[in-house]
Amino acid sequence: MSRFNQKILTLIFVFSTLLFASQVNAGLADDLKDGQHVLLMRHADAPGYGDPAGYVIGQCSTQRNLGDYGKKQAKAIGDWLSRQGIENARIFSSPWCRCSDTARLLNLGPVKTELSLSSFFDDMSLEQKKTKELTQFIKGTLDKQANAPIILVTHHVNIRAFMGKNISQGDMVLVRVNKDGGYLSHTIYPSRELVDASK
């Protein structure tokens, strides 16, 4: 094969790769504006397990919180989302500080506390009730403003109950829902890959 042909093939490969990447990026932003998708996110890295005994909602010093890596992780994910064309997002967070801090560090819009995103780790008997509340919240939010990206920052128990999968801290899930806000399908965006892509 001549050098000219090799250069042509290389240019075609590079162009195709860039075109595919732009289509993937545009796809995420477009999906979040079609009235059928939300982005669920598990809070960024918070060392430990559960919360200390006697913790109080609203008092961050009593809870398990983001570590230094978790703060950097949340910022990097926010930068990555911004590069995908996600802007002016409607961001809702569990009242736990590790979730609200993650949501704010994304730097993609104002953050509102949403009780249906609250953890039920301390009382797993609430799983069905909390999942129903989350489903109703998703439906109501999409009904009100379907064209804005909706990001929901919550806990692993909530995400597992809603879609049946365990994900790591900082991971995001693009979830397609039905007209009632219930789960249909998903795509996982692993945080480690997104943080690496932001370097």
Side-chain angles (χ1 to χ4, degrees):
M1 183 182 294
S2 69
R3 287 186 178 180
F4 177 76
N5 287 339
Q6 286 179 335
K7 287 181 180 179
I8 291 295
L9 286 175
T10 301
L11 286 172
I12 290 172
F13 174 76
V14 170
F15 177 76
S16 299
T17 301
L18 291 173
L19 180 62
F20 175 75
S22 68
Q23 289 172 338
V24 169
N25 295 349
L28 177 60
D30 289 344
D31 284 343
L32 285 173
K33 295 176 184 177
D34 69 2
Q36 300 177 60
H37 291 83
V38 296
L39 195 66
L40 277 173
M41 179 179 184
R42 184 178 175 186
H43 61 76
D45 187 70
Y49 187 75
D51 283 288
Y55 73 93
V56 178
I57 298 298
Q59 293 184 17
C60 295
S61 61
T62 68
Q63 300 174 29
R64 176 165 65 97
N65 294 298
L66 300 184
D68 289 340
Y69 174 74
K71 293 173 184 176
K72 293 175 184 176
Q73 182 185 30
K75 289 178 183 176
I77 292 168
D79 290 343
W80 184 86
L81 286 169
S82 181
R83 291 199 301 274
Q84 312 317 303
I86 309 300
E87 54 188 20
N88 299 320
R90 300 188 69 195
I91 307 175
F92 299 90
S93 169
S94 157
W96 268 251
C97 296
R98 55 185 174 272
C99 290
S100 57
D101 288 346
T102 296
R104 280 192 291 272
L105 288 168
L106 294 176
N107 196 31
L108 294 173
V111 177
K112 292 184 179 179
T113 298
E114 172 49 44
L115 294 179
S116 67
L117 297 169
S118 299
S119 174
F120 51 85
F121 180 78
D122 294 334
D123 185 357
M124 296 300 287
S125 70
L126 295 173
E127 177 176 332
Q128 189 172 357
K129 177 179 181 289
K130 296 301 294 183
T131 303
K132 183 178 179 181
E133 289 175 359
L134 176 56
T135 300
Q136 291 171 338
F137 174 73
I138 289 172
K139 177 188 182 328
T141 305
L142 286 173
D143 285 347
K144 289 176 188 173
Q145 193 172 355
N147 337 345
I150 295 170
I151 300 175
L152 310 175
V153 184
T154 185
H155 308 261
H156 83 280
V157 289
N158 303 67
I159 294 172
R160 183 182 63 201
F162 186 75
M163 55 168 279
K165 293 281 185 182
N166 285 316
I167 64 171
S168 299
Q169 294 180 108
D171 285 359
M172 293 181 296
V173 188
L174 177 68
V175 180
R176 183 170 174 261
V177 298
N178 61 28
K179 61 182 178 59
D180 296 317
Y183 167 85
L184 286 176
S185 62
H186 71 271
T187 302
I188 296 177
Y189 291 86
S191 60
R192 185 170 299 280
E193 293 179 16
L194 307 187
V195 171
D196 289 344
S198 297
K199 291 178 179 177

